[in-house]
PDB file of all heavy atoms in Angstrom:
ATOM      1  N   GLU A 241      55.654  63.382 105.307  1.00 97.00           N
ATOM      2  CA  GLU A 241      56.214  64.235 104.240  1.00 97.00           C
ATOM      3  C   GLU A 241      55.985  63.789 102.920  1.00 97.00           C
ATOM      4  O   GLU A 241      55.800  62.644 102.527  1.00 97.00           O
ATOM      5  CB  GLU A 241      57.619  64.309 104.422  1.00 97.00           C
ATOM      6  CG  GLU A 241      58.410  65.186 103.545  1.00 97.00           C
ATOM      7  CD  GLU A 241      59.884  65.207 103.820  1.00 97.00           C
ATOM      8  OE1 GLU A 241      60.387  65.905 104.722  1.00 97.00           O
ATOM      9  OE2 GLU A 241      60.656  64.438 103.116  1.00 97.00           O
ATOM     10  N   LEU A 242      55.596  64.733 102.059  1.00 98.00           N
ATOM     11  CA  LEU A 242      55.281  64.587 100.616  1.00 98.00           C
ATOM     12  C   LEU A 242      56.071  65.528  99.813  1.00 98.00           C
ATOM     13  O   LEU A 242      55.990  66.713 100.126  1.00 98.00           O
ATOM     14  CB  LEU A 242      53.850  64.565 100.228  1.00 98.00           C
ATOM     15  CG  LEU A 242      53.503  64.479  98.789  1.00 98.00           C
ATOM     16  CD1 LEU A 242      53.815  63.183  98.287  1.00 98.00           C
ATOM     17  CD2 LEU A 242      52.046  64.783  98.611  1.00 98.00           C
ATOM     18  N   LYS A 243      56.989  65.093  98.932  1.00 98.00           N
ATOM     19  CA  LYS A 243      57.753  65.965  98.104  1.00 98.00           C
ATOM     20  C   LYS A 243      57.186  65.851  96.615  1.00 98.00           C
ATOM     21  O   LYS A 243      57.231  64.624  96.128  1.00 98.00           O
ATOM     22  CB  LYS A 243      59.169  65.679  98.148  1.00 98.00           C
ATOM     23  CG  LYS A 243      59.922  66.014  99.289  1.00 98.00           C
ATOM     24  CD  LYS A 243      61.266  65.861  99.321  1.00 98.00           C
ATOM     25  CE  LYS A 243      62.001  66.074 100.636  1.00 98.00           C
ATOM     26  NZ  LYS A 243      63.431  65.568 100.605  1.00 98.00           N
ATOM     27  N   ILE A 244      56.859  66.908  96.039  1.00 98.00           N
ATOM     28  CA  ILE A 244      56.432  66.940  94.609  1.00 98.00           C
ATOM     29  C   ILE A 244      57.604  67.518  93.779  1.00 98.00           C
ATOM     30  O   ILE A 244      57.950  68.539  93.977  1.00 98.00           O
ATOM     31  CB  ILE A 244      55.115  67.753  94.446  1.00 98.00           C
ATOM     32  CG1 ILE A 244      54.006  67.043  95.246  1.00 98.00           C
ATOM     33  CG2 ILE A 244      54.718  67.901  92.972  1.00 98.00           C
ATOM     34  CD1 ILE A 244      52.795  67.894  95.306  1.00 98.00           C
ATOM     35  N   ILE A 245      58.140  66.684  92.863  1.00 98.00           N
ATOM     36  CA  ILE A 245      59.228  67.076  92.203  1.00 98.00           C
ATOM     37  C   ILE A 245      58.895  67.076  90.564  1.00 98.00           C
ATOM     38  O   ILE A 245      58.720  65.992  90.067  1.00 98.00           O
ATOM     39  CB  ILE A 245      60.432  66.022  92.354  1.00 98.00           C
ATOM     40  CG1 ILE A 245      60.675  66.010  93.797  1.00 98.00           C
ATOM     41  CG2 ILE A 245      61.712  66.488  91.735  1.00 98.00           C
ATOM     42  CD1 ILE A 245      61.530  64.852  94.379  1.00 98.00           C
ATOM     43  N   PRO A 246      58.540  68.100  89.999  1.00 97.00           N
ATOM     44  CA  PRO A 246      58.161  68.315  88.700  1.00 97.00           C
ATOM     45  C   PRO A 246      59.141  67.667  87.579  1.00 97.00           C
ATOM     46  O   PRO A 246      58.755  66.985  86.731  1.00 97.00           O
ATOM     47  CB  PRO A 246      57.747  69.709  88.338  1.00 97.00           C
ATOM     48  CG  PRO A 246      57.528  70.272  89.726  1.00 97.00           C
ATOM     49  CD  PRO A 246      58.425  69.551  90.676  1.00 97.00           C
ATOM     50  N   GLU A 247      60.460  67.961  87.820  1.00 97.00           N
ATOM     51  CA  GLU A 247      61.412  67.501  86.892  1.00 97.00           C
ATOM     52  C   GLU A 247      62.689  67.215  87.650  1.00 97.00           C
ATOM     53  O   GLU A 247      63.660  68.050  87.791  1.00 97.00           O
ATOM     54  CB  GLU A 247      61.784  68.468  85.881  1.00 97.00           C
ATOM     55  CG  GLU A 247      62.536  68.147  84.800  1.00 97.00           C
ATOM     56  CD  GLU A 247      62.617  68.990  83.589  1.00 97.00           C
ATOM     57  OE1 GLU A 247      61.618  69.597  83.276  1.00 97.00           O
ATOM     58  OE2 GLU A 247      63.840  69.434  83.165  1.00 97.00           O
ATOM     59  N   PRO A 248      62.883  65.951  88.283  1.00 97.00           N
ATOM     60  CA  PRO A 248      64.060  65.512  88.974  1.00 97.00           C
ATOM     61  C   PRO A 248      65.325  65.734  88.207  1.00 97.00           C
ATOM     62  O   PRO A 248      65.191  65.515  86.944  1.00 97.00           O
ATOM     63  CB  PRO A 248      63.816  63.970  89.288  1.00 97.00           C
ATOM     64  CG  PRO A 248      62.343  63.851  89.113  1.00 97.00           C
ATOM     65  CD  PRO A 248      61.934  64.807  88.007  1.00 97.00           C
ATOM     66  N   GLU A 249      66.437  65.980  88.936  1.00 97.00           N
ATOM     67  CA  GLU A 249      67.720  66.146  88.193  1.00 97.00           C
ATOM     68  C   GLU A 249      67.918  64.868  87.322  1.00 97.00           C
ATOM     69  O   GLU A 249      67.643  63.737  87.605  1.00 97.00           O
ATOM     70  CB  GLU A 249      68.843  66.215  89.227  1.00 97.00           C
ATOM     71  CG  GLU A 249      68.837  67.509  89.972  1.00 97.00           C
ATOM     72  CD  GLU A 249      69.169  68.808  89.124  1.00 97.00           C
ATOM     73  OE1 GLU A 249      70.052  68.565  88.331  1.00 97.00           O
ATOM     74  OE2 GLU A 249      68.541  69.776  89.403  1.00 97.00           O
ATOM     75  N   GLY A 250      68.375  65.128  86.206  1.00 97.00           N
ATOM     76  CA  GLY A 250      68.810  64.131  85.301  1.00 97.00           C
ATOM     77  C   GLY A 250      67.679  63.520  84.440  1.00 97.00           C
ATOM     78  O   GLY A 250      67.791  62.512  83.647  1.00 97.00           O
ATOM     79  N   THR A 251      66.590  64.138  84.601  1.00 98.00           N
ATOM     80  CA  THR A 251      65.254  63.663  83.783  1.00 98.00           C
ATOM     81  C   THR A 251      64.596  64.868  83.122  1.00 98.00           C
ATOM     82  O   THR A 251      64.879  65.964  83.349  1.00 98.00           O
ATOM     83  CB  THR A 251      64.321  62.949  84.766  1.00 98.00           C
ATOM     84  OG1 THR A 251      63.555  63.868  85.415  1.00 98.00           O
ATOM     85  CG2 THR A 251      65.094  61.904  85.625  1.00 98.00           C
ATOM     86  N   ARG A 252      63.628  64.432  82.286  1.00 97.00           N
ATOM     87  CA  ARG A 252      62.758  65.510  81.635  1.00 97.00           C
ATOM     88  C   ARG A 252      61.337  65.399  82.317  1.00 97.00           C
ATOM     89  O   ARG A 252      60.454  65.721  81.682  1.00 97.00           O
ATOM     90  CB  ARG A 252      62.741  65.299  80.171  1.00 97.00           C
ATOM     91  CG  ARG A 252      64.171  65.555  79.546  1.00 97.00           C
ATOM     92  CD  ARG A 252      64.145  65.520  78.106  1.00 97.00           C
ATOM     93  NE  ARG A 252      63.693  64.138  77.542  1.00 97.00           N
ATOM     94  CZ  ARG A 252      64.374  63.133  77.616  1.00 97.00           C
ATOM     95  NH1 ARG A 252      65.607  63.102  77.923  1.00 97.00           N
ATOM     96  NH2 ARG A 252      63.935  61.990  76.977  1.00 97.00           N
ATOM     97  N   GLY A 253      61.268  64.805  83.575  1.00 97.00           N
ATOM     98  CA  GLY A 253      60.064  64.814  84.194  1.00 97.00           C
ATOM     99  C   GLY A 253      59.181  63.652  83.964  1.00 97.00           C
ATOM    100  O   GLY A 253      59.695  62.522  83.557  1.00 97.00           O
ATOM    101  N   TYR A 254      57.980  63.687  84.200  1.00 98.00           N
ATOM    102  CA  TYR A 254      57.074  62.499  84.199  1.00 98.00           C
ATOM    103  C   TYR A 254      56.957  61.779  82.923  1.00 98.00           C
ATOM    104  O   TYR A 254      57.094  60.523  83.081  1.00 98.00           O
ATOM    105  CB  TYR A 254      55.580  62.981  84.450  1.00 98.00           C
ATOM    106  CG  TYR A 254      54.443  62.013  84.319  1.00 98.00           C
ATOM    107  CD1 TYR A 254      54.332  61.001  85.431  1.00 98.00           C
ATOM    108  CD2 TYR A 254      53.828  61.716  83.199  1.00 98.00           C
ATOM    109  CE1 TYR A 254      53.428  59.844  85.205  1.00 98.00           C
ATOM    110  CE2 TYR A 254      52.961  60.788  82.991  1.00 98.00           C
ATOM    111  CZ  TYR A 254      52.781  59.849  84.057  1.00 98.00           C
ATOM    112  OH  TYR A 254      51.817  58.822  83.802  1.00 98.00           O
ATOM    113  N   ASP A 255      56.786  62.349  81.765  1.00 98.00           N
ATOM    114  CA  ASP A 255      56.869  61.549  80.490  1.00 98.00           C
ATOM    115  C   ASP A 255      58.165  60.783  80.307  1.00 98.00           C
ATOM    116  O   ASP A 255      58.182  59.637  79.779  1.00 98.00           O
ATOM    117  CB  ASP A 255      56.592  62.507  79.400  1.00 98.00           C
ATOM    118  CG  ASP A 255      55.179  63.091  79.300  1.00 98.00           C
ATOM    119  OD1 ASP A 255      54.192  62.294  79.882  1.00 98.00           O
ATOM    120  OD2 ASP A 255      54.895  64.221  78.974  1.00 98.00           O
ATOM    121  N   ASP A 256      59.287  61.262  80.683  1.00 98.00           N
ATOM    122  CA  ASP A 256      60.612  60.579  80.675  1.00 98.00           C
ATOM    123  C   ASP A 256      60.516  59.415  81.396  1.00 98.00           C
ATOM    124  O   ASP A 256      60.933  58.271  81.048  1.00 98.00           O
ATOM    125  CB  ASP A 256      61.677  61.586  81.100  1.00 98.00           C
ATOM    126  CG  ASP A 256      63.048  61.030  80.857  1.00 98.00           C
ATOM    127  OD1 ASP A 256      63.268  59.978  80.285  1.00 98.00           O
ATOM    128  OD2 ASP A 256      63.945  61.618  81.535  1.00 98.00           O
ATOM    129  N   LEU A 257      60.098  59.548  82.704  1.00 98.00           N
ATOM    130  CA  LEU A 257      60.251  58.569  83.725  1.00 98.00           C
ATOM    131  C   LEU A 257      59.033  57.354  83.554  1.00 98.00           C
ATOM    132  O   LEU A 257      59.390  56.166  83.834  1.00 98.00           O
ATOM    133  CB  LEU A 257      60.129  59.052  85.191  1.00 98.00           C
ATOM    134  CG  LEU A 257      61.184  60.013  85.629  1.00 98.00           C
ATOM    135  CD1 LEU A 257      60.865  60.599  86.965  1.00 98.00           C
ATOM    136  CD2 LEU A 257      62.510  59.158  85.719  1.00 98.00           C
ATOM    137  N   ARG A 258      57.947  57.784  82.962  1.00 98.00           N
ATOM    138  CA  ARG A 258      56.838  56.670  82.958  1.00 98.00           C
ATOM    139  C   ARG A 258      57.150  55.700  82.040  1.00 98.00           C
ATOM    140  O   ARG A 258      56.609  54.554  82.098  1.00 98.00           O
ATOM    141  CB  ARG A 258      55.583  57.453  82.587  1.00 98.00           C
ATOM    142  CG  ARG A 258      55.406  57.944  81.191  1.00 98.00           C
ATOM    143  CD  ARG A 258      53.974  58.418  80.833  1.00 98.00           C
ATOM    144  NE  ARG A 258      54.057  59.139  79.715  1.00 98.00           N
ATOM    145  CZ  ARG A 258      53.745  58.485  78.379  1.00 98.00           C
ATOM    146  NH1 ARG A 258      53.474  57.286  78.474  1.00 98.00           N
ATOM    147  NH2 ARG A 258      53.763  59.232  77.325  1.00 98.00           N
ATOM    148  N   ARG A 259      58.042  55.894  80.945  1.00 97.00           N
ATOM    149  CA  ARG A 259      58.195  54.961  79.905  1.00 97.00           C
ATOM    150  C   ARG A 259      58.891  53.620  80.533  1.00 97.00           C
ATOM    151  O   ARG A 259      58.687  52.564  80.154  1.00 97.00           O
ATOM    152  CB  ARG A 259      59.211  55.452  78.822  1.00 97.00           C
ATOM    153  CG  ARG A 259      58.548  56.511  78.046  1.00 97.00           C
ATOM    154  CD  ARG A 259      59.500  57.027  77.053  1.00 97.00           C
ATOM    155  NE  ARG A 259      60.714  57.503  77.672  1.00 97.00           N
ATOM    156  CZ  ARG A 259      61.699  58.287  77.354  1.00 97.00           C
ATOM    157  NH1 ARG A 259      61.397  58.843  76.081  1.00 97.00           N
ATOM    158  NH2 ARG A 259      62.545  58.783  78.023  1.00 97.00           N
ATOM    159  N   ARG A 260      59.737  53.722  81.530  1.00 97.00           N
ATOM    160  CA  ARG A 260      60.395  52.575  82.148  1.00 97.00           C
ATOM    161  C   ARG A 260      59.978  52.255  83.529  1.00 97.00           C
ATOM    162  O   ARG A 260      60.321  51.341  84.041  1.00 97.00           O
ATOM    163  CB  ARG A 260      61.971  52.716  82.089  1.00 97.00           C
ATOM    164  CG  ARG A 260      62.447  52.728  80.715  1.00 97.00           C
ATOM    165  CD  ARG A 260      63.911  52.601  80.657  1.00 97.00           C
ATOM    166  NE  ARG A 260      64.621  53.609  81.356  1.00 97.00           N
ATOM    167  CZ  ARG A 260      66.069  53.617  81.477  1.00 97.00           C
ATOM    168  NH1 ARG A 260      66.729  52.744  80.669  1.00 97.00           N
ATOM    169  NH2 ARG A 260      66.572  54.664  82.082  1.00 97.00           N
ATOM    170  N   ALA A 261      58.910  53.018  83.935  1.00 98.00           N
ATOM    171  CA  ALA A 261      58.411  52.689  85.341  1.00 98.00           C
ATOM    172  C   ALA A 261      57.599  51.446  85.345  1.00 98.00           C
ATOM    173  O   ALA A 261      57.050  50.962  84.262  1.00 98.00           O
ATOM    174  CB  ALA A 261      57.452  53.904  85.698  1.00 98.00           C
ATOM    175  N   THR A 262      57.661  50.831  86.433  1.00 97.00           N
ATOM    176  CA  THR A 262      56.818  49.634  86.675  1.00 97.00           C
ATOM    177  C   THR A 262      55.742  49.822  87.685  1.00 97.00           C
ATOM    178  O   THR A 262      55.946  50.671  88.511  1.00 97.00           O
ATOM    179  CB  THR A 262      57.809  48.372  87.089  1.00 97.00           C
ATOM    180  OG1 THR A 262      58.362  48.782  88.146  1.00 97.00           O
ATOM    181  CG2 THR A 262      58.852  48.028  85.987  1.00 97.00           C
ATOM    182  N   ARG A 263      54.734  49.117  87.530  1.00 97.00           N
ATOM    183  CA  ARG A 263      53.575  49.049  88.618  1.00 97.00           C
ATOM    184  C   ARG A 263      53.965  48.029  89.539  1.00 97.00           C
ATOM    185  O   ARG A 263      54.113  46.854  89.299  1.00 97.00           O
ATOM    186  CB  ARG A 263      52.371  48.876  87.893  1.00 97.00           C
ATOM    187  CG  ARG A 263      52.110  50.018  86.870  1.00 97.00           C
ATOM    188  CD  ARG A 263      50.743  50.487  86.609  1.00 97.00           C
ATOM    189  NE  ARG A 263      49.783  50.537  87.539  1.00 97.00           N
ATOM    190  CZ  ARG A 263      49.239  51.628  88.131  1.00 97.00           C
ATOM    191  NH1 ARG A 263      49.891  52.735  87.806  1.00 97.00           N
ATOM    192  NH2 ARG A 263      48.326  51.586  88.892  1.00 97.00           N
ATOM    193  N   GLU A 264      54.123  48.475  90.932  1.00 97.00           N
ATOM    194  CA  GLU A 264      54.616  47.511  91.820  1.00 97.00           C
ATOM    195  C   GLU A 264      53.478  47.197  92.885  1.00 97.00           C
ATOM    196  O   GLU A 264      52.884  48.200  93.518  1.00 97.00           O
ATOM    197  CB  GLU A 264      55.854  48.076  92.720  1.00 97.00           C
ATOM    198  CG  GLU A 264      57.129  48.336  91.861  1.00 97.00           C
ATOM    199  CD  GLU A 264      57.626  46.982  91.332  1.00 97.00           C
ATOM    200  OE1 GLU A 264      57.579  46.103  91.887  1.00 97.00           O
ATOM    201  OE2 GLU A 264      58.259  47.073  90.208  1.00 97.00           O
ATOM    202  N   PRO A 265      53.084  46.004  93.182  1.00 97.00           N
ATOM    203  CA  PRO A 265      52.033  45.636  94.092  1.00 97.00           C
ATOM    204  C   PRO A 265      52.702  45.688  95.492  1.00 97.00           C
ATOM    205  O   PRO A 265      53.639  45.119  95.854  1.00 97.00           O
ATOM    206  CB  PRO A 265      51.747  44.178  93.752  1.00 97.00           C
ATOM    207  CG  PRO A 265      52.993  43.635  93.085  1.00 97.00           C
ATOM    208  CD  PRO A 265      53.617  44.811  92.363  1.00 97.00           C
ATOM    209  N   ILE A 266      52.006  46.664  96.195  1.00 97.00           N
ATOM    210  CA  ILE A 266      52.524  46.902  97.625  1.00 97.00           C
ATOM    211  C   ILE A 266      51.519  46.646  98.757  1.00 97.00           C
ATOM    212  O   ILE A 266      51.745  46.940  99.776  1.00 97.00           O
ATOM    213  CB  ILE A 266      53.075  48.435  97.797  1.00 97.00           C
ATOM    214  CG1 ILE A 266      51.926  49.329  97.502  1.00 97.00           C
ATOM    215  CG2 ILE A 266      54.125  48.703  96.828  1.00 97.00           C
ATOM    216  CD1 ILE A 266      52.162  50.899  97.994  1.00 97.00           C
ATOM    217  N   GLY A 267      50.395  46.069  98.309  1.00 96.00           N
ATOM    218  CA  GLY A 267      49.411  45.645  99.281  1.00 96.00           C
ATOM    219  C   GLY A 267      48.279  46.718  99.252  1.00 96.00           C
ATOM    220  O   GLY A 267      48.330  47.757  98.612  1.00 96.00           O
ATOM    221  N   ARG A 268      47.278  46.326  99.947  1.00 96.00           N
ATOM    222  CA  ARG A 268      45.989  47.182 100.026  1.00 96.00           C
ATOM    223  C   ARG A 268      45.361  47.476  98.675  1.00 96.00           C
ATOM    224  O   ARG A 268      44.719  48.549  98.439  1.00 96.00           O
ATOM    225  CB  ARG A 268      46.127  48.460 100.887  1.00 96.00           C
ATOM    226  CG  ARG A 268      46.540  48.172 102.292  1.00 96.00           C
ATOM    227  CD  ARG A 268      46.471  49.591 103.062  1.00 96.00           C
ATOM    228  NE  ARG A 268      46.950  49.383 104.408  1.00 96.00           N
ATOM    229  CZ  ARG A 268      47.171  50.267 105.284  1.00 96.00           C
ATOM    230  NH1 ARG A 268      46.927  51.530 104.935  1.00 96.00           N
ATOM    231  NH2 ARG A 268      47.693  50.127 106.416  1.00 96.00           N
ATOM    232  N   GLY A 269      45.761  46.687  97.698  1.00 96.00           N
ATOM    233  CA  GLY A 269      45.135  46.815  96.220  1.00 96.00           C
ATOM    234  C   GLY A 269      45.841  48.021  95.540  1.00 96.00           C
ATOM    235  O   GLY A 269      45.421  48.490  94.571  1.00 96.00           O
ATOM    236  N   LEU A 270      46.976  48.446  96.021  1.00 98.00           N
ATOM    237  CA  LEU A 270      47.818  49.525  95.469  1.00 98.00           C
ATOM    238  C   LEU A 270      48.912  48.907  94.602  1.00 98.00           C
ATOM    239  O   LEU A 270      49.503  47.944  95.003  1.00 98.00           O
ATOM    240  CB  LEU A 270      48.442  50.399  96.514  1.00 98.00           C
ATOM    241  CG  LEU A 270      47.423  51.232  97.300  1.00 98.00           C
ATOM    242  CD1 LEU A 270      48.212  51.943  98.378  1.00 98.00           C
ATOM    243  CD2 LEU A 270      46.744  52.293  96.593  1.00 98.00           C
ATOM    244  N   ARG A 271      48.891  49.575  93.437  1.00 98.00           N
ATOM    245  CA  ARG A 271      50.083  49.198  92.461  1.00 98.00           C
ATOM    246  C   ARG A 271      50.523  50.455  91.862  1.00 98.00           C
ATOM    247  O   ARG A 271      50.359  50.709  90.680  1.00 98.00           O
ATOM    248  CB  ARG A 271      49.610  48.350  91.292  1.00 98.00           C
ATOM    249  CG  ARG A 271      49.184  46.856  91.829  1.00 98.00           C
ATOM    250  CD  ARG A 271      48.642  46.049  90.721  1.00 98.00           C
ATOM    251  NE  ARG A 271      49.376  46.028  89.494  1.00 98.00           N
ATOM    252  CZ  ARG A 271      50.273  45.093  89.195  1.00 98.00           C
ATOM    253  NH1 ARG A 271      50.682  44.122  89.960  1.00 98.00           N
ATOM    254  NH2 ARG A 271      51.011  45.248  87.994  1.00 98.00           N
ATOM    255  N   PRO A 272      51.389  51.239  92.670  1.00 98.00           N
ATOM    256  CA  PRO A 272      51.715  52.578  92.238  1.00 98.00           C
ATOM    257  C   PRO A 272      52.870  52.487  91.086  1.00 98.00           C
ATOM    258  O   PRO A 272      53.678  51.398  91.099  1.00 98.00           O
ATOM    259  CB  PRO A 272      52.317  53.257  93.458  1.00 98.00           C
ATOM    260  CG  PRO A 272      52.689  52.196  94.300  1.00 98.00           C
ATOM    261  CD  PRO A 272      51.689  51.046  94.049  1.00 98.00           C
ATOM    262  N   SER A 273      53.057  53.328  90.296  1.00 98.00           N
ATOM    263  CA  SER A 273      54.070  53.437  89.204  1.00 98.00           C
ATOM    264  C   SER A 273      55.288  53.879  89.971  1.00 98.00           C
ATOM    265  O   SER A 273      55.389  54.956  90.562  1.00 98.00           O
ATOM    266  CB  SER A 273      53.608  54.375  88.096  1.00 98.00           C
ATOM    267  OG  SER A 273      54.463  54.246  86.931  1.00 98.00           O
ATOM    268  N   VAL A 274      56.448  53.125  89.715  1.00 98.00           N
ATOM    269  CA  VAL A 274      57.597  53.388  90.407  1.00 98.00           C
ATOM    270  C   VAL A 274      58.822  53.612  89.323  1.00 98.00           C
ATOM    271  O   VAL A 274      58.945  52.692  88.508  1.00 98.00           O
ATOM    272  CB  VAL A 274      58.007  52.242  91.379  1.00 98.00           C
ATOM    273  CG1 VAL A 274      59.374  52.631  92.116  1.00 98.00           C
ATOM    274  CG2 VAL A 274      56.951  52.035  92.363  1.00 98.00           C
ATOM    275  N   ALA A 275      59.658  54.568  89.461  1.00 98.00           N
ATOM    276  CA  ALA A 275      60.595  54.814  88.448  1.00 98.00           C
ATOM    277  C   ALA A 275      61.589  53.611  88.523  1.00 98.00           C
ATOM    278  O   ALA A 275      61.722  52.928  89.478  1.00 98.00           O
ATOM    279  CB  ALA A 275      61.374  56.073  88.747  1.00 98.00           C
ATOM    280  N   SER A 276      62.113  53.315  87.347  1.00 97.00           N
ATOM    281  CA  SER A 276      62.940  52.119  87.201  1.00 97.00           C
ATOM    282  C   SER A 276      64.229  52.295  88.092  1.00 97.00           C
ATOM    283  O   SER A 276      64.703  53.394  88.254  1.00 97.00           O
ATOM    284  CB  SER A 276      63.286  51.945  85.680  1.00 97.00           C
ATOM    285  OG  SER A 276      64.224  52.916  85.213  1.00 97.00           O
ATOM    286  N   PRO A 277      64.998  51.110  88.231  1.00 97.00           N
ATOM    287  CA  PRO A 277      66.332  51.278  88.852  1.00 97.00           C
ATOM    288  C   PRO A 277      67.260  52.072  88.013  1.00 97.00           C
ATOM    289  O   PRO A 277      67.964  52.930  88.567  1.00 97.00           O
ATOM    290  CB  PRO A 277      66.797  49.813  89.034  1.00 97.00           C
ATOM    291  CG  PRO A 277      65.369  49.020  89.235  1.00 97.00           C
ATOM    292  CD  PRO A 277      64.495  49.640  88.157  1.00 97.00           C
ATOM    293  N   ASP A 278      67.090  51.891  86.783  1.00 97.00           N
ATOM    294  CA  ASP A 278      68.098  52.749  85.865  1.00 97.00           C
ATOM    295  C   ASP A 278      67.788  54.223  85.966  1.00 97.00           C
ATOM    296  O   ASP A 278      68.758  55.063  86.097  1.00 97.00           O
ATOM    297  CB  ASP A 278      67.885  52.320  84.380  1.00 97.00           C
ATOM    298  CG  ASP A 278      68.290  50.931  84.095  1.00 97.00           C
ATOM    299  OD1 ASP A 278      69.597  50.641  84.372  1.00 97.00           O
ATOM    300  OD2 ASP A 278      67.650  50.220  83.430  1.00 97.00           O
ATOM    301  N   ASP A 279      66.586  54.585  86.067  1.00 98.00           N
ATOM    302  CA  ASP A 279      66.230  55.977  86.204  1.00 98.00           C
ATOM    303  C   ASP A 279      66.568  56.557  87.683  1.00 98.00           C
ATOM    304  O   ASP A 279      67.020  57.627  87.813  1.00 98.00           O
ATOM    305  CB  ASP A 279      64.795  56.291  85.877  1.00 98.00           C
ATOM    306  CG  ASP A 279      64.457  56.113  84.439  1.00 98.00           C
ATOM    307  OD1 ASP A 279      65.278  56.392  83.614  1.00 98.00           O
ATOM    308  OD2 ASP A 279      63.201  55.905  84.069  1.00 98.00           O
ATOM    309  N   HIS A 280      66.347  55.665  88.673  1.00 98.00           N
ATOM    310  CA  HIS A 280      66.873  56.007  90.032  1.00 98.00           C
ATOM    311  C   HIS A 280      68.367  56.350  90.078  1.00 98.00           C
ATOM    312  O   HIS A 280      68.897  57.361  90.604  1.00 98.00           O
ATOM    313  CB  HIS A 280      66.402  54.983  91.115  1.00 98.00           C
ATOM    314  CG  HIS A 280      65.092  55.210  91.563  1.00 98.00           C
ATOM    315  ND1 HIS A 280      64.155  54.415  91.095  1.00 98.00           N
ATOM    316  CD2 HIS A 280      64.576  56.097  92.565  1.00 98.00           C
ATOM    317  CE1 HIS A 280      62.935  54.862  91.738  1.00 98.00           C
ATOM    318  NE2 HIS A 280      63.208  55.820  92.562  1.00 98.00           N
ATOM    319  N   ALA A 281      69.101  55.495  89.289  1.00 98.00           N
ATOM    320  CA  ALA A 281      70.571  55.658  89.331  1.00 98.00           C
ATOM    321  C   ALA A 281      70.891  56.949  88.526  1.00 98.00           C
ATOM    322  O   ALA A 281      71.764  57.662  88.893  1.00 98.00           O
ATOM    323  CB  ALA A 281      71.303  54.347  88.603  1.00 98.00           C
TER     324      ALA A 281
END
């Protein structure tokens, strides 16, 4: 399953979330951008 959420509740979308997102090393050379714990809350 893949969900594409252009503007999650409580946010203004990608530009809002990317500011505090961190790049997390998860193996296989991947370091995806992940919303911050504050933004998840």
Side-chain angles (χ1 to χ4, degrees):
E241 182 180 278
L242 173 64
K243 291 182 185 172
I244 299 171
I245 310 167
E247 191 171 310
E249 290 292 325
T251 77
R252 291 181 307 283
Y254 173 79
D255 288 330
D256 181 19
L257 294 171
R258 76 177 169 88
R259 290 180 303 201
R260 293 196 299 184
T262 56
R263 301 205 39 103
E264 299 294 333
I266 62 169
R268 295 191 187 176
L270 294 170
R271 291 179 46 98
S273 192
V274 181
S276 72
D278 290 307
D279 287 334
H280 273 101

